[in-house]
Amino acid sequence: MSDAYLSEEHIQLRAQVRAFALAEIAPRVKAMEAAPGSFDRDLAALIARQGWIGATIDPAYGGMGVGHLAKTIIIEEICKISGAMGAMLQASQLGAAKIIHYGSEEQRRTWLPSIAEGSCLPTIAVTEPASGGHVLGMQATGRRRGKHYLLSGHKVFVGNSHIGHVHGVVVRTRPGSRGLTAFLVEADTPGLSLAPYQPTMGLRGFSFGELLLDNCSVPVTNMIGEEGDGLAIAYSSSILYGRPNLTAVSLGLHQAIVDETARFASERTRFGAPLAEMPTIKHKLGALQSRLMTARLTAYHAVRLLDDGQPCDPDLINSKYVNVQAARESASEAMNIHAAVGLQTNRPLERLFRDVQHTWAPAGTGDIQLHRLAETLLGTSQNQWSQRLASVTPSGAKHPSTSCA
C-alpha cells in the first residue's frame, strides 16, 4: 500500500518496528486494558530505548535523522498493536519539536541526545481548561524575578504527563499575541505537581493528564527561543508534529480495524458460507479498504512533502482531518459488520473503537482543521511553518536509515 512513497530502508524500518511491537507490546495490551488509569512505565521506557523518539532529531545530537515519513511509519506500526503506546511515542516526538526548532544550541546539546537515546521523555503543555484550542486564551502566567521566572497555572491533556521528564510549558508573560513564552520545566521542579489522573475512555496505558504550576521557579536559561515566541512554538509544533503524528496514530488504528474486520468476516459463517461472501458485507469491506487506501495516500503525501522541504501546511492539516474522519467512519462501519460481537471486550474491535475516538481533539478538532483549510482557500492563512522551519526539519526522505542511533 502506497509503496511508491517508500524506500527499501522505509520497508525495513516498518518490518523492524512491527516485529518489536508483536514481540514486546502485544503481550502487554490485555494488562493495560484491565487497569485504566495506570501506566506501563517499563514498556514506555523500552520503546523509548529503541531510539524512535529521535526519528527527526539530527544525528549530530544522537538522533536517527530519518524524517517525518519514517516517523509516520514507526507510529503507524506501533498503533496497529497498541494505540496507547503509539500515542506515548508520538507525544514524546511532539515534545522534542520545540527544542529542535527553537532551542538554543546549548539546549539542543543538553536535551536532544538524552531524548534520542530514550532516557528522557519530553512533553508539551499548552492546553488549559478554559481555553481549549484557543491558545491565546490561556491564563497560565510567567513573572520574571531576577534570573528566574515564576510560572503559575493549570495545563490539561498533556501527553505523557505522569511519565515525562521535562515539560515544554507555554505561559503568558505579557498581554497580546506576542505575550506567550515557552519554558523547559523539569518534572521534579518545586512548584510543579500532577493532578490526580482521570481515566479516559480509550488509550489505556497512555498518560494524558494535568500539570499544576504554583510559583514554579524556572531559570531564564530554560526559556525556549525568546520571550514572546510561545505562540509560534505552539503553532509550529502542532502543525509540523501534532497534525502528522495524530494522522499516523489514526492510520495505524485504521489499519488494525480493517484487518480485524476482514478476519472476522472471513471466519464468521452465515448460511453455510463466510460472512465476507455476502454481497452487502463484501461491499462494506470494499468501502473500508477504499477509505483506508485514500487515508494512507493523504498521510504519506503530506509528510513526504515535509521531508522534501516543500510548503505543505495545508496538506498536513488535511491529512489529519481526512485520516481521523476516515478511521472513525471505518470504526463505526466495522461495528456494524460485527454487530453485537463487536461489543465484547475480549475482542480487539471494542478497544480499537474506543481508542480511535481519542484522535479527534488533539492537535485541533476536525472543525479547527476545516477552519484552517478555509483560510488557505480564502488566502487569509498567515504562516507556512513547513517553509519557515525547513532548515531545521531533518529530511530522511532520500537516505533513510534504520539505525536506532
Side-chain angles (χ1 to χ4, degrees), residues 134-307:
H134 176 40
V135 177
L136 284 174
M138 71 171 56
Q139 299 174 2
T141 60
R143 295 173 291 117
R144 184 158 184 170
R145 293 292 183 270
K147 295 182 179 180
H148 289 75
Y149 277 81
L150 299 179
L151 312 185
S152 294
H154 184 187
K155 296 296 181 179
V156 299
F157 306 132
V158 179
N160 289 340
S161 54
H162 286 59
I163 63 173
H165 298 99
V166 62
H167 305 288
V169 180
V170 180
V171 297
R172 181 167 290 286
T173 52
R174 60 175 183 257
S177 61
R178 287 284 299 170
L180 304 184
T181 306
F183 297 88
L184 291 169
V185 183
E186 295 180 63
D188 59 356
T189 303
L192 171 65
S193 61
L194 298 166
Y197 189 74
Q198 300 296 320
T200 55
M201 179 173 69
L203 296 183
R204 294 176 181 174
F206 174 51
S207 168
F208 192 50
E210 305 177 24
L211 304 183
L212 304 176
L213 301 154
D214 183 10
N215 285 322
C216 182
S217 182
V218 180
V220 172
T221 53
N222 279 29
M223 181 190 300
I224 310 172
E226 303 294 332
E227 183 167 332
D229 283 345
L231 185 64
I233 290 170
Y235 277 179
S236 63
S237 297
S238 181
I239 291 287
L240 302 183
Y241 280 76
R243 262 75 164 190
N245 284 12
L246 267 295
T247 295
V249 171
S250 301
L251 183 56
L253 291 171
H254 196 170
Q255 181 70 66
I257 288 166
V258 172
D259 289 346
E260 179 60 26
T261 305
R263 184 183 306 111
F264 171 79
S266 297
E267 295 173 353
R268 195 80 163 179
T269 58
R270 282 295 181 269
F271 309 109
L275 190 64
E277 293 303 314
M278 295 179 63
T280 54
I281 299 299
K282 182 170 284 189
H283 291 168
K284 290 179 185 296
L285 293 173
L288 291 180
Q289 179 69 354
S290 174
R291 199 178 292 120
L292 175 62
M293 292 173 68
T294 301
R296 176 168 283 112
L297 284 169
T298 305
Y300 286 7
H301 175 69
V303 287
R304 187 58 180 267
L305 290 175
L306 183 57
D307 278 337

